Protein backbone atom coordinates (compact mmCIF):
# COMPACT_ATOMS: atom_id res chain seq x y z
CA UNK A 1 0.00 0.00 0.00
CA UNK A 2 1.08 3.55 -0.71
CA UNK A 3 2.32 5.25 2.46
CA UNK A 4 0.90 8.67 1.60
CA UNK A 5 -2.17 9.51 3.65
CA UNK A 6 -5.18 9.94 1.42
CA UNK A 7 -3.87 7.69 -1.38
CA UNK A 8 -3.27 4.33 0.31
CA UNK A 9 -3.66 2.46 -2.98
CA UNK A 10 -2.33 -1.09 -3.27
CA UNK A 11 0.66 -1.39 -5.58
CA UNK A 12 3.55 -3.75 -6.28
CA UNK A 13 6.85 -1.96 -5.54
CA UNK A 14 9.19 -1.72 -8.53
CA UNK A 15 12.18 -1.20 -6.26
CA UNK A 16 12.85 -2.76 -2.86
CA UNK A 17 12.38 0.43 -0.85
CA UNK A 18 9.53 2.03 -2.81
CA UNK A 19 7.05 3.66 -0.44
CA UNK A 20 4.79 5.48 -2.90
CA UNK A 21 2.73 4.23 -5.82
CA UNK A 22 3.34 7.01 -8.37
CA UNK A 23 5.22 10.26 -9.04
CA UNK A 24 2.38 12.45 -7.73
CA UNK A 25 2.54 10.66 -4.36
CA UNK A 26 6.33 11.03 -4.25
CA UNK A 27 5.98 14.77 -4.93
CA UNK A 28 3.30 15.16 -2.25
CA UNK A 29 5.54 13.30 0.21
CA UNK A 30 8.44 15.62 -0.68
CA UNK A 31 6.22 18.64 0.02
CA UNK A 32 5.17 17.08 3.33
CA UNK A 33 8.84 16.51 4.31
CA UNK A 34 9.57 20.19 3.59
CA UNK A 35 6.60 21.23 5.73
CA UNK A 36 7.66 18.87 8.55
CA UNK A 37 11.26 20.20 8.49
CA UNK A 38 9.93 23.76 8.65
CA UNK A 39 7.80 22.86 11.67
CA UNK A 40 10.82 21.27 13.40
CA UNK A 41 12.97 24.32 12.67
CA UNK A 42 10.34 26.71 13.99
CA UNK A 43 10.25 24.77 17.26
CA UNK A 44 14.02 25.10 17.72
CA UNK A 45 15.32 28.10 19.71
CA UNK A 46 17.01 29.63 16.66
CA UNK A 47 13.91 29.14 14.51
CA UNK A 48 11.68 30.71 17.14
CA UNK A 49 13.96 33.75 17.40
CA UNK A 50 13.94 34.25 13.66
CA UNK A 51 10.17 33.82 13.48
CA UNK A 52 9.65 36.32 16.31
CA UNK A 53 11.92 38.83 14.56
CA UNK A 54 10.02 38.26 11.33
CA UNK A 55 6.68 38.86 13.07
CA UNK A 56 8.05 41.96 14.78
CA UNK A 57 9.22 43.42 11.44
CA UNK A 58 5.87 42.61 9.89
CA UNK A 59 4.00 44.35 12.72
CA UNK A 60 6.24 47.42 12.35
CA UNK A 61 5.57 47.47 8.59
CA UNK A 62 1.85 47.21 9.19
CA UNK A 63 1.94 50.04 11.74
CA UNK A 64 3.79 52.21 9.23
CA UNK A 65 1.15 51.46 6.58
CA UNK A 66 -1.56 52.10 9.12
CA UNK A 67 -0.24 55.49 10.11
CA UNK A 68 0.21 56.43 6.46
CA UNK A 69 -3.36 55.46 5.53
CA UNK A 70 -5.00 56.23 8.88
CA UNK A 71 -6.92 52.95 8.68
CA UNK A 72 -7.33 50.43 11.45
CA UNK A 73 -5.69 47.11 10.78
CA UNK A 74 -7.59 43.99 11.80
CA UNK A 75 -4.71 41.58 11.07
CA UNK A 76 -2.99 39.90 13.98
CA UNK A 77 0.44 38.31 14.10
CA UNK A 78 0.56 34.59 13.38
CA UNK A 79 1.06 32.57 16.54
CA UNK A 80 2.75 29.19 16.51
CA UNK A 81 1.06 27.05 19.16
CA UNK A 82 3.40 25.51 21.69
CA UNK A 83 2.77 21.95 22.82
CA UNK A 84 1.20 20.75 19.57
CA UNK A 85 2.88 18.14 17.39
CA UNK A 86 2.39 16.99 13.82
CA UNK A 87 1.97 13.41 12.66
CA UNK A 88 5.07 11.58 11.30
CA UNK A 89 3.20 9.90 8.46
CA UNK A 90 3.94 11.45 5.05
CA UNK A 91 1.00 13.46 3.79
CA UNK A 92 -0.68 13.78 7.19
CA UNK A 93 -0.81 17.43 8.27
CA UNK A 94 -2.90 16.73 11.35
CA UNK A 95 -1.70 18.44 14.52
CA UNK A 96 -2.31 16.85 17.91
CA UNK A 97 -1.49 17.42 21.55
CA UNK A 98 0.50 14.75 23.37
CA UNK A 99 -1.04 13.36 26.53
CA UNK A 100 0.62 12.46 29.82
CA UNK A 101 -0.07 8.84 29.06
CA UNK A 102 1.92 8.90 25.82
CA UNK A 103 4.51 11.69 25.89
CA UNK A 104 6.50 10.12 23.02
CA UNK A 105 3.52 9.96 20.64
CA UNK A 106 4.51 10.44 16.98
CA UNK A 107 1.27 9.72 15.12
CA UNK A 108 -2.17 11.28 15.19
CA UNK A 109 -4.01 7.96 14.95
CA UNK A 110 -3.58 4.20 14.96
CA UNK A 111 -4.09 4.07 11.18
CA UNK A 112 -1.11 6.38 10.59
CA UNK A 113 1.11 4.39 12.94
CA UNK A 114 0.17 1.06 11.36
CA UNK A 115 0.72 2.40 7.83
CA UNK A 116 4.30 3.44 8.59
CA UNK A 117 4.93 0.24 10.56
CA UNK A 118 3.76 -1.85 7.59
CA UNK A 119 6.15 -0.08 5.21
CA UNK A 120 9.10 -0.33 7.59
CA UNK A 121 8.48 -4.07 8.05
CA UNK A 122 8.36 -4.56 4.29
CA UNK A 123 11.64 -2.66 3.88
CA UNK A 124 13.23 -4.75 6.63
CA UNK A 125 12.16 -7.96 4.85
CA UNK A 126 13.67 -6.70 1.59
CA UNK A 127 16.97 -5.83 3.30
CA UNK A 128 17.08 -9.12 5.19
CA UNK A 129 16.41 -11.07 1.99
CA UNK A 130 19.15 -9.25 0.09
CA UNK A 131 21.73 -9.90 2.83
CA UNK A 132 21.18 -13.65 2.92
CA UNK A 133 23.83 -15.58 1.10
CA UNK A 134 22.64 -18.26 -1.21
CA UNK A 135 23.94 -21.63 0.01
CA UNK A 136 24.47 -24.40 -2.52
CA UNK A 137 21.55 -26.80 -2.86
CA UNK A 138 22.26 -29.77 -0.62
CA UNK A 139 19.55 -32.01 -2.02
CA UNK A 140 18.70 -35.49 -0.70
CA UNK A 141 21.41 -37.64 0.88
CA UNK A 142 22.69 -40.63 -1.02
CA UNK A 143 21.14 -43.89 0.20
CA UNK A 144 24.50 -45.46 1.12
CA UNK A 145 25.58 -42.73 3.56
CA UNK A 146 24.93 -43.24 7.26
CA UNK A 147 23.35 -40.53 9.41
CA UNK A 148 24.87 -39.77 12.82
CA UNK A 149 21.79 -41.22 14.53
CA UNK A 150 22.24 -44.49 12.63
CA UNK A 151 25.85 -44.82 13.73
CA UNK A 152 25.02 -44.42 17.43
CA UNK A 153 22.14 -46.88 17.31
CA UNK A 154 24.37 -49.70 15.91
CA UNK A 155 26.81 -49.72 18.84
Amino acid sequence: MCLLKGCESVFRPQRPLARYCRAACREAARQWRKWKAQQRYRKSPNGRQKRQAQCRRNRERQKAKESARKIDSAGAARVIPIGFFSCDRPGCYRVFKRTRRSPQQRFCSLACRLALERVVKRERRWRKGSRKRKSPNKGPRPSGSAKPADIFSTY
Side-chain angles (χ1 to χ4, degrees), residues 2-8 19-20 24-25 28-29 32 89-92:
C2 184
L3 180 60
L4 188 72
K5 186 169 184 174
C7 178
E8 300 168 355
R19 291 181 168 195
Y20 309 103
C25 289
W32 176 83
R89 180 182 183 185
C92 184

Side-chain angles (χ1 to χ4, degrees), residues 132-138:
K132 277 187 181 175
R133 294 187 183 186
K134 305 273 182 180
S135 58
N137 191 3
K138 294 182 181 177

Side-chain angles (χ1 to χ4, degrees), residues 110-127:
L110 178 65
C112 285
R113 183 175 66 81
L114 292 177
L116 193 65
E117 231 174 66
R118 184 178 54 247
V119 170
V120 170
K121 281 182 184 177
R122 185 182 72 210
E123 289 174 354
R124 195 176 300 135
R125 280 194 309 268
W126 277 86
R127 286 189 187 118

Side-chain angles (χ1 to χ4, degrees), residues 4-17:
L4 188 72
K5 186 169 184 174
C7 178
E8 300 168 355
S9 62
V10 178
F11 75 105
R12 188 167 279 264
Q14 299 295 323
R15 280 176 249 100
L17 302 178

Side-chain angles (χ1 to χ4, degrees), residues 55-72:
C55 287
R56 192 178 319 110
R57 287 191 305 269
N58 190 30
R59 284 193 300 270
E60 289 169 1
R61 255 194 320 270
Q62 284 197 359
K63 281 183 184 178
K65 281 183 185 178
E66 208 176 274
S67 63
R69 294 183 192 172
K70 303 285 185 191
I71 299 174
D72 284 341

Side-chain angles (χ1 to χ4, degrees), residues 10-68:
V10 178
F11 75 105
R12 188 167 279 264
Q14 299 295 323
R15 280 176 249 100
L17 302 178
R19 291 181 168 195
Y20 309 103
C21 60
R22 58 185 185 270
C25 289
R26 285 191 295 275
E27 178 62 26
R30 191 180 67 76
Q31 290 291 328
W32 176 83
R33 281 192 301 273
K34 280 176 58 177
W35 175 82
K36 185 76 172 175
Q38 183 182 35
Q39 295 298 316
R40 250 190 323 266
Y41 176 73
R42 284 184 176 179
K43 284 182 182 178
S44 72
N46 194 27
R48 289 214 322 241
Q49 277 182 338
K50 286 193 178 186
R51 183 69 182 154
Q52 285 171 353
Q54 189 180 25
C55 287
R56 192 178 319 110
R57 287 191 305 269
N58 190 30
R59 284 193 300 270
E60 289 169 1
R61 255 194 320 270
Q62 284 197 359
K63 281 183 184 178
K65 281 183 185 178
E66 208 176 274
S67 63

